[in-house]
Amino acid sequence: MVTSVGVGHIVRIEGNLNKDLYVEILEDDALGSFRDLHLDYHDYYFQQDNDPKHTSKVVQAWFQKNHMDLLPWPPNSPDINIAENLWDHLDRLVRARRPQPRSEADLWIALQEEWYRIDVQFIRKLYDSLPQRVLDVYHANGGNTRY
């Protein structure tokens, strides 16, 4: 999870993510991230894509039960999703490490270390780019942009 004040928990998923595991992650890690960052989630919108597990009845019920607002999201909009830029940034940070991780366990350690080092100023720039991203997608009639 990422917020304008920093990153939340990073979660390692073993196997496939399904709707039930997603609810566990929301309960433990999304809410835990809000607590750790001293944020009241009632003051924020949660953004997720339209993956079927995200839009399942059990997940939607969880959001309703917790009175958490969801940001409406168009079916195909990678150009306005800052998460893609954040994952790319994290990938670059891990690839710049010397020595490189040599095992799955080393990679997980490196990912965690770099995730929690991500500069909040980098994140704020991503958030600040959102109005321009939306405008660019609008001008491209929903098509691709430079993002």
Side-chain angles (χ1 to χ4, degrees), residues 26 67 69 74 113:
L26 290 169
H67 307 285
D69 292 324
E113 289 175 354

Side-chain angles (χ1 to χ4, degrees), residues 78-120:
D79 293 337
I80 56 175
N81 186 345
I82 65 171
E84 301 300 325
N85 301 94
L86 191 63
W87 289 126
D88 180 66
H89 182 67
L90 179 61
D91 180 62
R92 291 171 193 264
L93 293 172
V94 170
R95 289 179 188 276
R97 291 173 69 106
R98 297 292 177 257
Q100 283 283 289
R102 294 184 173 259
S103 68
E104 192 176 306
D106 289 344
L107 176 59
W108 178 238
I109 290 167
L111 286 166
Q112 291 176 91
E113 289 175 354
E114 297 301 340
W115 177 256
Y116 292 113
R117 285 187 194 140
I118 292 175
D119 184 11
V120 72

Side-chain angles (χ1 to χ4, degrees), residues 8-147:
H9 300 176
I10 186 170
V11 179
R12 183 176 182 172
I13 298 169
E14 301 282 344
N16 293 322
L17 179 63
N18 61 34
K19 61 187 177 191
D20 298 317
L21 179 55
Y22 187 55
V23 167
E24 284 182 41
I25 292 168
L26 290 169
E27 188 71 32
D28 298 338
D29 296 294
L31 293 181
S33 293
F34 278 109
R35 279 191 301 274
D36 292 351
L37 294 168
H38 308 288
L39 300 173
D40 181 352
Y41 67 83
H42 296 104
D43 295 336
Y44 295 87
Y45 283 93
F46 192 88
Q47 184 254 310
Q48 60 184 8
D49 63 22
N50 291 314
D51 184 287
K53 65 186 134 290
H54 298 163
T55 59
S56 69
K57 289 180 182 179
V58 67
V59 170
Q60 295 305 306
W62 184 90
F63 280 104
Q64 288 179 346
K65 178 186 90 170
N66 287 283
H67 307 285
M68 187 179 284
D69 292 324
L70 283 169
L71 182 67
W73 205 250
N76 297 305
S77 60
D79 293 337
I80 56 175
N81 186 345
I82 65 171
E84 301 300 325
N85 301 94
L86 191 63
W87 289 126
D88 180 66
H89 182 67
L90 179 61
D91 180 62
R92 291 171 193 264
L93 293 172
V94 170
R95 289 179 188 276
R97 291 173 69 106
R98 297 292 177 257
Q100 283 283 289
R102 294 184 173 259
S103 68
E104 192 176 306
D106 289 344
L107 176 59
W108 178 238
I109 290 167
L111 286 166
Q112 291 176 91
E113 289 175 354
E114 297 301 340
W115 177 256
Y116 292 113
R117 285 187 194 140
I118 292 175
D119 184 11
V120 72
Q121 293 304 325
F122 175 80
I123 295 168
R124 286 192 181 133
K125 285 180 185 177
L126 291 176
Y127 273 93
D128 290 345
S129 74
L130 285 171
Q132 186 62 52
R133 289 170 186 249
V134 171
L135 187 61
D136 289 350
V137 168
Y138 174 77
H139 285 156
N141 292 320
N144 293 332
T145 69
R146 66 186 176 98
Y147 296 102

